[in-house]
Each structure stands twice: as structure tokens, then as C-alpha cells.
Amino acid sequence: MPNINEIATYANDNADKLGIKKFDIYGSTVDETTVQVDQGEPKQVKASNRSVVTVRVWNEDNTMGVTSTTDVDPKGLELALKTAYEASFFGVKENVPDFSPEATIPIPNTPHDKATQAPVSVLIERLVLAEKELLVAHPAIKQVPYNGLAQRDIDRFYLNSDGAVRTESHSLASVYLYSTTEEEGKKPRSGGALRINRSLDNLDIDGCIKETAEKTISHLNYEKIKTGKYRVVFSPEAFLSLLGAFSNLFNAQNILDKQSLSTPDDLGKQIASPLLSVYDDALHPENIGAETFDGEGTPTRQVSIIENGVLTGFLHSAGTAKRMNAKPTGNASIGAKVNVSPNFFHVFAAASPEQELSLETAENVIFVDDLHALHAGVKSLQGSFSLPFDGWIINKGVRTSIESATIAGDFLELLNSIIYVEKEVELTPGGVAPKVWVDGLSITGE
Amino acid sequence: MLTSTLLLSNQLPTLQYSSTTERFDETWEAPLATLLGLGRAAGADFIEFFLERRNYINCLAEDDTITGISPSLGTGAGVRVFRGKADCYVSTNDLSFSGLKAALEKGLSILGLNLPAPNAFIPEINLELLRDYATKSGKDGWLSLCSSIREMGEVLLDGTAKLKQKARHIQSRRANYFRDWQEVLVAASDGTFARDIRLTQSVGFSLLCADGANRASIGERAGNTSDANFLRTWDYQQAADQIAESAGKMLYADYVESGTYPIIMANHFGGVIFHEACGHLLETTQIERNTTPFADKKGEKIAHESLTAWDEGRSENAFGTIDMDDEGMPAQRTLLIEKGVLKNFLADRAGSSRTGHPRTGSGRRQNYTFAAASRMRNTYIAPGEYITEDLFASVDKGIYCKKMGGGSVGATGQFNFSVDEAYLIENGKITKPLKGAILIGEAKEIMNKISMCSQDLEVAPGFCGSVSGSIYTTVGQPHIKVDSITVGGR
């Protein structure tokens, strides 16, 4: 398997050979190992060493074509370049994607450090132990049907025919545990947790076990909830799930495509409670898998999206930035049609609330821990959502698990109905956020 | 062709094979037989190689412009090694003999197995004669017969122009097409040696209409396997008519009032209810994880007696059709439920060995980076005895779910799915459009509440995500009545 430098060299050489004058290439390789266990035994171990490269080629008429390939030997890359060149004659003639003006800006502190990969036997040993500890955490916990311990090394590069060359490397380790219960006369209940770190040695497996056990046990005593309007507290993960699902609000490409709840004129408008601020911050210190450049080679950075409830910025590619007289923000992928997506959200309290709220004293509030089926229940272009969730009804600190309920609403209304943003933020896979309190959301139970 | 089996381990580094990655043919027999033998000599109980080539292209039209042509080429292989109940899966882009050998060695070492000592005898595996479904069925020429890039663009632009004519209050209109051509080769230490080509295509519209604060976004997609002419025969006029009509009705629809209702679910994509509420729970993958309430119910009544359901590998041209599964087993027609009684599970190789249920040709995977797992193919509820009007006539107040969105099922059997187009039923008649509905329930309970099935079975293409990635499947059913279900809304 060629390494990242060899792949870049092959691609460069083949472009020269084919007489392609203008091109750029983005590629990555992933070397990963994942283990699963079942009742104390390894169930499946997966190892993978794979590469993918995307090439963009501009022809003499300055229209652009693209091709991706996993065949990264010289012959495969030559075919990809040829295919991209052929596709270029069918490329768009207006707003043709171009190199990012920031693709050659130096990036300080590009990571190239990798953790030492642990032997598979160590991964299995630690996961078996985690499963065992979870199974003894409570007599009702009978299974850990979904579990996984993974370590991966990731190398990325971007280069273009104007001389841009970027590379970076990093390592990630993650653990996922999800346990289910069996109790006579009761429905099975479940709970799960995830932890990520740069290396296995620093991975908080104990914390993952503890959180999984606590969540699962907390769902043992469950009740139906009456349908109605409730004060709802979103966990950091649940709030970030919704924010991500409606990210067309600040996605410049979506806005230009009229596939958004926002328009270009919405910058500066109040779209949320003044209590809320949101950044997209790829370089946030808590972002374990931080990437320093995007698919177009643009350096990533902190981007202000919402300040005190006011829409302050959009996420841009090089192309959308040019069209909207802005700067690229490091949120682009590479492709025939360049997509824009968030990197890492940072949600935080922006102003002092009129009153401090607490789950210890609040009466009959719904705590939404985890939202399900966002792919089905979110209508991102309509602004509406209707989603099943895991959560509890909490009354003065006493929590009772909720059985089979959905939460529904309009996201823009939700943003404006925020009554409290807690101070303390928590790390999740998609960003950092505090708990967010919202008034008057529809819950369907019985 | 029989090959020599007198191979010593120290000869491995000098072996030269001339297999081509441009076609998975008989030239792969010798290297794969050698590698399989090497794996067995190392002590593995079973080894399987899965080789894949892919040629994919996506074309996107937005309003009156083609805005994306995205080809993607891929090659790769996965090797699965079993030792006792444990197995491991290693994938790689490197299809050279040394690349595949390195992947095998990694798999063996993960399971604690060592390569044979120098001068050890490597018992080459005798593979069966290549079962070549592609050549046998004339699939080798499929790729060249598919629509060119120019043709893709023309069809999609005609389609979006038709949408412009048909719909009102348009904010954006899109047509999207993809063609996924895949060649696979499977070789395993039980002698399996099989090749196939799959051709999957899909095309559809998505439409966003807005009038003040009222918004409606709706999509419609057609899909096909096995027909290189699919795009040329797509009836985009009819599709544009349907989607424009749906968007028009949903634009001013009220939000559904949440509660518990009887519902009538339309045929076609309505079949997602069975897919989520029951189909996934009949995969041996779920038995292995103990995440299905039906694990020990074979032969028992698990559903209303009106319900019979099938999962087929080879429905003509359907989206989930395969001649062989991704473990090289011929696909079969599997009766899942007959008049409410559970008859069979869907089993892959690992699932079969771990649960005892016979393999059904259901081992499927998104690509070479995934090990195969038991997955659905073309799954549908069989036609019943009623006419659709009977179902409506039985409902005083309920909801007609005409067009379903996606859904999911959790580890405890709780499922949910959204409704893209719904109507209120009052006294047996449709009275007004509704939006924002999501249906939730428990598999065990809902299966006994599907009390009426009409005669008008129709199937629809879908994408199913699970442990072995996203795969193409068919869902389907006639109109059905569910006696009561929780409907989430506002």
C-alpha cells in the first residue's frame, strides 16, 4: 500500500504525463482496528488500511471535472485523472469552483503526531473487562449488544498545481458501550455512552462504563407520559444533534441553493434567544480529531455563527465566499459541487439570564438525553421536527424514565423559546455545549 | 482447471501471479486458492476473500443547470477469518498477491494464529469451477450500455423543466441520478468461488415549495437493478405530476394532532413499516445480539393472521435484487411469516453458524470495507383478501399515511418512522392533508395490529443502513390497516 507521500507523487506525476495543467488533489488514508466482544469473548475484530483520493481537473475552457478513487496505485490515479478530465467538459459554466485563495497560507502547528497503536489483544482485553464491569453493575443488565473499541491513524493531504501542499496526521481512539436490561414483566431498557481520545491510554473507558450503567439503570423504572406542552431541557448531545440537523441555517452553499431556512439577507438578524451563542470551531482545544485544513486546503478556524441570538456568520467554501463577498472558513469538502459542513460546534451562554434554573429544583420538566431517527423525523427545509427520544421527566431532582414518546416543534421557534443556557459545557463527539432549556415544546406520550 | 497443490511455505515470496484487476475471472483461482490454503495451514477454521471493483457516477440537476457530475472508482478486498466463534475482518485497497497476503496475515495474527514454518506444506484449497453469474446472464456489457454523461444531463434537465411546469410556489427543484456498477468475486475455504456483476440505478426529484411561512419539501425516487436502459425509460412526466400534486397538498397542510389512531398505510413505500418493525428483527444479526423479541418464536404466531411476508433475493428488476449474496450463495426466496406464524429468519454465514438457522443467501455488505451480515433484500407483505375501500370504511377517525419517510428500529424493538404525506380520515373518507407525523411503537405489539391487507401490492426502492453499511433494498406491501398506533405530532 503506498503511503500518503507516494500517492501524492503518483498523482502529480500522472497529471504531468497527461498534460493536465490545472488540478488539485485531496486524499486520506485510514489505518484502523476495531474490536467487539460478546459475553467475554471477542466477537469480531475489524482491521482496515484504506485510501481514497479525489482529483479535480480544469480543462482548457476552465470547466472542472472530478473523480474519486480508492485505487491509489499509479495506474488507478491515472485513470481517475483521465475520468475527471472527461467529466470536466460537462462541468458547470457559471460559478466554477476554483482553488481556495487560502490554500497556500502557512498553517502553524499542523499535527503529524500519532499515538502508538496498541496490540489487538490489548483492545480485546480492555473491552472484555468493560463488558464484564457493565454486566455486574446491576442485576437487570444482561447484555451489552453494541460495543466497540477502536484505534485509528489518519493521514490527510491536499495539493494543487499552484504549489499548495498540505499534510497532517493524527490518531484517535474511541470506545462505545450500549447495554440492555431484562426484568420480569418489564420492557427491555437500554443506555449507551461514547468516549474519544487521541490515544488508547488516555481513553476514559471507566467513565464510559459508568455513564452507560447509570443511564441504563435510570431507565429501569419507566412510565408513559401524558401528551402536552412541556418545559424541555436538552442534553448537550441532543441540542447539538438538532443544531446539526438544521445547519442549513448557516450553510452558505445551502443558502445559495435556496435549500435553507436562511437567506443571504438574514445576517445580522435576531434568530434565537439573546441567551445563545454558537461558534463553529474546528480548532477548539476539546476537539480531539481537529483538522487544520478543509478539502480545498483552506485553514480551519473559529467562525462565529450566532452571537447573543443574532445570526453573525455563514460557513463557506472558497466558491461561496467569492459569491457572497466573504472569506472561506475552512468548512468545504472537495467535489464537483463543493459541499459545506460544520466542523465542531461550540455552544455557550451569551448573556445573564433573568433567573438561574436547575434540574434539582425544577418541577415536571422533560430532560431529553438523546434524539433518535433524525434522518427521518427532521424536515430541515421546513424547519420542523418530530422525533423519538430517550429521556426522563424530572420533578425536583427525581427523575423517571419516559417510555415511547416523541418531541416535536419548529426549530426557529425553539431557538427563540430558549429560556436558559447553562454555564457548564460538556464534550460530545460533535462539539461542546451546555444543557439548553426551552419552553413549550410538544411531547406525545399517551 | 485443476492446479498443483504441492506448495511449500518458503516458496510464497517468490510466487508470481498475473491476475488482472480489470476483470475478476478464473485467473484469480490460483492466488486465492493459495491464500486460502495458507490461512487453513495457519489454523483458521474458515477463510473468505471478497474482491470488489466499483464504477459509480452521480449526476445532479438543480433548477435548469447540471451542477454536479461525480464519478467514483473503487477497488478493494476484504478477508474474513474465523477461529471458533470469533472472527476478524481485514480490508485493503491493495489487490496484489502480496497485498492480499498481508491482509490475511493481519487477520490471522489478530486471532492469535501464526503462519506456517518455513518448508511447511501449504494445502491449496480446491475451489469449485467459477460460478459466473455475470457472464451467464449477459451482464458483462451492462456498464457500456448505460446512459452517457450527456444523456444523464439531458434527462435530468428535461425532468426539472417538467417540474417547473407542474408545481406552484417553487423555491428549488432538483433531479438526482446515480448509477452504481459493482463487480464482486468471492472465494472461500469451503470451495466457494463465484463472480457477479450488479447494476443499481436510481433517479428522483426533490421539490421545495414555499408560500410565506408555509413550506413543503417532498421527494420521490425510482430505482432499478439489472436494466441498463433504466434512465431512458424513467417516466419523469408522471413523477413530476405526482410530486407537484403532493407538494401542493402538503404546502398548506395542518400539523397532525398527536395521539393514538387507527391508520391506513398506503402500499409502495408504506412497506417501511414491516422493514423497521419486523424485518430487521428477523435478521440473525439481531439474534446474535439478543436484540430481537422474536429470537425463540420460530413456528409461533407473532403477527395477525392476516399477515404473510416474504424476503426475496431475485424479484425481477427490484432494487434489492441479487443473484448471489456477498458470500457467494445463490439468493433465495424466503418466507418470513405465513398467516401470522414466524417461518424463517434471514441468515448469513456467521449468523447461521452462531444461531443454527440455515443460510438464506442474505449475507450483504455495502462494500469491501464491511464484513457481510444478514440483511434484507426485497421484503414485502403479501397481498391480502380485502379491497382498499374496505380498509377505509372500517375507520371512523384515523390517519391515512400515503407517503412514508424513513425510519429506524432500536435494540429493544422500538421502531419509528416518519410520514411525508398524510391525510385525516373521518367516517371512512379522506378529509384534509396533515403534516409532521411520526409513528412509533413496539415490534411485538404492532405486528398483531396489522389487521387488514388489501390486494394491491406495490414495492418501492429504499436504502437500508445497518452493521454492514448502507445497502439497496426493496420495501413493499398492499394497503394495510393498523388498528392503533402512537402518532407523534404537535
Side-chain angles (χ1 to χ4, degrees):
Chain A
M1 171 74 81
N3 63 34
I4 205 83
N5 294 323
E6 290 167 332
I7 293 169
T9 304
Y10 296 159
N12 240 334
D13 292 348
N14 275 302
D16 282 348
K17 192 170 89 179
L18 294 168
I20 293 169
K21 299 278 190 292
K22 183 174 179 179
F23 63 91
D24 65 357
I25 305 167
Y26 174 85
S28 64
T29 65
V30 177
D31 186 355
E32 67 179 341
T33 309
T34 309
V35 302
Q36 294 173 51
V37 300
D38 181 25
Q39 304 291 334
E41 297 290 333
K43 186 179 178 204
Q44 186 175 78
V45 178
K46 287 180 75 172
S48 176
N49 188 353
R50 60 183 189 274
S51 304
V52 63
V53 164
T54 302
V55 298
R56 296 194 297 188
V57 170
W58 283 258
N59 62 27
E60 299 73 15
D61 301 329
N62 200 38
T63 55
M64 187 273 286
V66 62
T67 296
S68 295
T69 185
T70 60
D71 190 357
V72 292
D73 64 15
K75 203 172 164 185
L77 289 167
E78 182 181 351
L79 179 61
L81 284 158
K82 278 182 180 171
T83 307
Y85 184 72
E86 286 164 15
S88 71
F89 293 97
F90 299 92
V92 290
K93 293 184 171 50
E94 292 178 3
N95 302 314
V96 181
D98 204 345
F99 294 160
S100 167
E102 298 191 6
T104 49
I105 292 175
I107 300 176
N109 306 320
T110 304
H112 285 93
D113 52 328
K114 291 182 187 169
T116 305
Q117 296 248 354
V120 172
S121 56
V122 172
L123 299 183
I124 293 171
E125 193 179 297
R126 294 198 185 174
L127 193 57
V128 165
L129 198 59
E131 185 197 38
K132 190 176 172 186
E133 287 187 28
L134 205 42
L135 288 172
V136 299
H138 192 279
I141 297 179
K142 302 291 187 194
Q143 294 275 332
V144 190
Y146 296 96
N147 61 69
L149 182 56
Q151 57 183 7
R152 59 180 62 91
D153 288 343
I154 302 161
D155 296 277
R156 306 166 64 236
F157 76 89
Y158 172 85
L159 61 88
N160 68 29
S161 52
D162 273 2
V165 181
R166 300 202 187 282
T167 61
E168 71 176 15
S169 310
H170 61 269
S171 299
L172 288 176
S174 63
V175 60
Y176 178 62
L177 299 168
Y178 185 93
S179 57
T180 56
T181 65
E182 287 173 29
E183 281 189 311
E184 188 69 31
K186 286 194 164 185
K187 294 182 177 180
R189 307 296 283 167
S190 61
L194 171 74
R195 293 288 188 280
I196 301 174
N197 209 301
R198 291 190 177 88
S199 69
L200 181 67
D201 289 343
N202 294 322
L203 190 61
D204 182 15
I205 300 175
D206 289 341
C208 192
I209 296 167
K210 193 175 170 200
E211 185 182 338
T212 302
E214 281 178 359
K215 276 190 185 175
T216 309
I217 294 163
S218 74
H219 289 302
L220 283 174
N221 293 317
Y222 57 87
E223 287 180 8
K224 289 264 189 193
I225 186 170
K226 289 207 176 303
T227 297
K229 298 269 188 186
Y230 287 85
R231 177 171 285 186
V232 172
V233 182
F234 287 95
S235 72
E237 193 158 353
F239 187 76
L240 289 173
S241 296
L242 270 186
L243 190 66
F246 289 97
S247 61
N248 68 43
L249 269 168
F250 33 82
N251 181 317
Q253 187 64 58
N254 290 154
I255 291 164
L256 289 168
D257 290 344
K258 297 180 183 171
Q259 297 277 316
S260 172
L261 299 171
S262 300
T263 70
D265 297 331
D266 285 342
L267 274 184
K269 285 189 180 170
Q270 188 85 31
I271 66 161
S273 155
L275 300 171
L276 182 77
S277 284
V278 179
Y279 291 166
D280 180 64
D281 190 358
L283 304 176
H284 191 285
E286 297 285 338
N287 186 8
I288 300 297
E291 294 179 340
T292 59
F293 58 90
D294 71 4
E296 296 183 312
T298 303
T300 55
R301 68 203 68 184
Q302 184 186 78
V303 184
S304 168
I305 299 170
I306 297 172
E307 296 268 9
N308 296 84
V310 175
L311 186 62
T312 49
F314 297 144
L315 304 181
H316 284 287
S317 65
T320 62
K322 189 176 176 185
R323 291 171 68 184
M324 297 176 81
N325 197 25
K327 283 189 173 180
T329 54
N331 292 89
S333 58
I334 191 171
K337 181 178 170 68
V338 174
N339 288 317
V340 175
S341 57
N343 287 317
F344 188 81
F345 285 123
H346 180 194
V347 176
F348 57 97
S352 299
E354 289 179 5
Q355 56 175 335
E356 300 276 338
L357 299 172
S358 164
L359 287 173
E360 294 303 313
T361 55
E363 294 181 22
N364 294 320
V365 296
I366 305 294
F367 183 75
V368 174
D369 183 46
D370 196 11
L371 294 164
H372 300 306
L374 282 97
H375 68 287
V378 165
K379 305 296 177 198
S380 62
L381 298 180
Q382 297 178 20
S384 62
F385 61 90
S386 182
L387 299 165
F389 67 93
D390 285 340
W392 304 269
I393 183 162
I394 300 184
N395 189 26
K396 295 178 183 173
V398 177
R399 59 181 185 171
T400 305
S401 179
I402 296 169
E403 184 206 354
S404 295
T406 64
I407 183 166
D410 176 276
F411 188 65
L412 288 172
E413 285 177 18
L414 180 152
L415 289 178
N416 279 293
S417 303
I418 291 171
I419 55 166
Y420 184 52
V421 178
E422 295 195 0
K423 292 186 185 68
E424 192 178 332
V425 297
E426 292 175 28
L427 173 65
T428 81
V432 290
K435 296 186 185 77
V436 177
W437 294 56
V438 180
D439 250 357
L441 281 169
S442 295
I443 304 286
T444 302
E446 62 174 2
Chain B
M1 185 179 71
L2 294 175
T3 54
S4 166
T5 59
L6 297 174
L7 183 65
L8 294 174
S9 56
N10 58 4
Q11 296 171 318
L12 286 170
T14 60
L15 287 176
Q16 295 292 324
Y17 291 109
S18 56
S19 305
T20 171
T21 54
E22 288 161 14
R23 180 185 161 93
F24 293 142
D25 55 18
E26 289 86 350
T27 62
W28 282 90
E29 180 183 358
L32 292 174
T34 300
L35 291 168
L36 291 166
L38 181 63
R40 290 285 285 140
D45 293 325
F46 180 83
I47 307 108
E48 173 202 81
F49 278 91
F50 175 81
L51 274 58
E52 180 189 23
R53 282 200 305 144
R54 209 152 197 151
N55 187 317
Y56 175 94
I57 191 164
N58 183 283
C59 183
L60 173 67
E62 293 179 276
D63 298 331
D64 299 306
T65 308
I66 297 296
T67 55
I69 300 279
S70 304
S72 178
L73 309 170
T75 57
V79 55
R80 193 168 189 180
V81 182
F82 286 80
R83 187 186 188 200
K85 281 180 68 180
D87 71 292
C88 75
Y89 189 77
V90 179
S91 59
T92 178
N93 294 142
D94 189 348
L95 264 59
S96 67
F97 181 76
S98 60
L100 294 175
K101 179 167 165 281
L104 172 66
E105 282 183 33
K106 185 160 191 176
L108 292 169
S109 68
I110 285 170
L111 292 179
L113 297 171
N114 297 315
L115 288 177
N119 292 315
F121 174 63
I122 305 295
E124 186 176 278
I125 299 296
N126 291 314
L127 296 175
E128 64 177 320
L129 288 174
L130 181 65
R131 262 185 295 126
D132 189 346
Y133 294 92
T135 302
K136 182 184 166 194
S137 303
K139 302 177 183 179
D140 288 305
W142 271 355
L143 185 57
S144 61
L145 296 173
C146 288
S147 298
S148 65
I149 293 177
R150 184 177 300 282
E151 194 175 6
M152 289 174 208
E154 288 170 357
V155 171
L156 297 194
L157 290 177
D158 282 354
T160 55
K162 192 58 66 182
L163 268 186
K164 193 176 183 179
Q165 288 175 15
K166 297 291 181 183
R168 297 284 177 273
H169 304 294
I170 295 172
Q171 181 155 330
S172 67
R173 55 203 153 88
R174 283 180 164 179
N176 189 285
Y177 163 79
F178 76 76
R179 180 213 69 216
D180 189 2
W181 178 95
Q182 181 199 35
E183 180 186 14
V184 299
L185 183 75
V186 180
S189 57
D190 64 353
T192 300
F193 191 41
R195 168 184 184 254
D196 199 7
I197 285 175
R198 288 84 177 259
L199 176 66
T200 310
Q201 297 174 86
S202 179
V203 64
F205 285 132
S206 58
L207 180 64
L208 172 62
C209 296
D211 182 15
N214 297 305
R215 284 176 158 236
S217 61
I218 202 147
E220 182 71 50
R221 182 159 280 280
N224 178 277
T225 56
S226 317
D227 180 7
N229 284 308
F230 167 69
L231 187 61
R232 299 180 185 110
T233 57
W234 177 43
D235 188 347
Y236 53 79
Q237 300 211 23
Q238 186 188 31
D241 283 344
Q242 286 175 353
I243 192 173
E245 183 185 348
S246 293
K249 287 181 175 169
M250 300 314 294
L251 184 57
Y252 304 106
D254 291 334
Y255 280 97
V256 68
E257 188 181 331
S258 58
T260 301
Y261 296 91
I263 61 166
I264 294 179
M265 192 169 292
N267 53 6
H268 201 63
F269 201 67
V272 71
I273 187 174
F274 185 79
H275 180 100
E276 299 296 352
C278 188
H280 275 298
L281 302 174
L282 300 183
E283 297 164 343
T284 49
T285 310
Q286 305 288 339
I287 301 177
E288 288 182 65
R289 293 181 190 276
N290 200 22
T291 50
T292 170
F294 304 130
D296 55 353
K297 305 291 184 198
K298 192 168 176 178
E300 294 182 26
K301 186 171 174 298
I302 64 163
H304 196 279
E305 57 270 17
S306 68
L307 193 140
T308 293
W310 292 86
D311 182 277
E312 294 185 343
R314 296 205 60 220
S315 307
E316 186 74 17
N317 281 343
F319 208 50
T321 290
I322 47 175
D323 276 328
M324 69 171 206
D325 72 1
D326 290 325
E327 296 176 329
M329 181 178 178
Q332 61 169 233
R333 190 164 186 246
T334 309
L335 178 61
L336 299 174
I337 296 171
E338 186 175 37
K339 295 181 179 173
V341 176
L342 177 58
K343 291 292 185 183
N344 287 293
F345 288 91
L346 298 172
D348 63 319
R349 182 186 295 278
S352 176
S353 68
R354 288 170 180 153
T355 68
H357 293 287
R359 290 170 70 195
T360 51
S362 305
R364 302 187 67 192
R365 55 185 119 197
Q366 179 179 333
N367 57 37
Y368 68 90
T369 64
F370 294 89
S374 56
R375 303 290 296 274
M376 286 176 271
R377 300 159 300 188
N378 304 306
T379 315
Y380 60 87
I381 296 175
E385 60 188 19
Y386 296 96
I387 59 171
T388 306
E389 287 75 10
D390 294 337
L391 276 57
F392 280 93
S394 71
V395 176
D396 290 334
K397 184 178 181 186
I399 294 175
Y400 176 42
C401 303
K402 184 178 178 186
K403 185 169 170 36
M404 303 302 298
S408 65
V409 62
T412 57
Q414 282 197 342
F415 65 84
N416 59 78
F417 36 99
S418 68
V419 189
D420 282 351
E421 187 178 348
Y423 298 87
L424 185 65
I425 305 170
E426 293 173 296
N427 300 317
K429 304 286 183 197
I430 289 173
T431 54
K432 67 172 188 175
L434 298 169
K435 64 183 173 188
I438 191 159
L439 311 181
I440 60 171
E442 302 240 2
K444 273 173 78 172
E445 293 171 4
I446 205 72
M447 297 309 294
N448 282 295
K449 292 179 179 174
I450 300 176
S451 62
M452 297 173 82
C453 298
S454 70
Q455 301 162 2
D456 54 352
L457 168 66
E458 279 193 36
V459 299
F463 303 87
C464 172
S466 187
V467 288
S468 59
S470 176
I471 58 171
Y472 308 122
T473 58
T474 293
V475 298
Q477 65 179 30
H479 276 81
I480 62 168
K481 179 189 174 190
V482 181
D483 289 338
S484 68
I485 192 167
T486 301
V487 180
R490 296 195 196 174

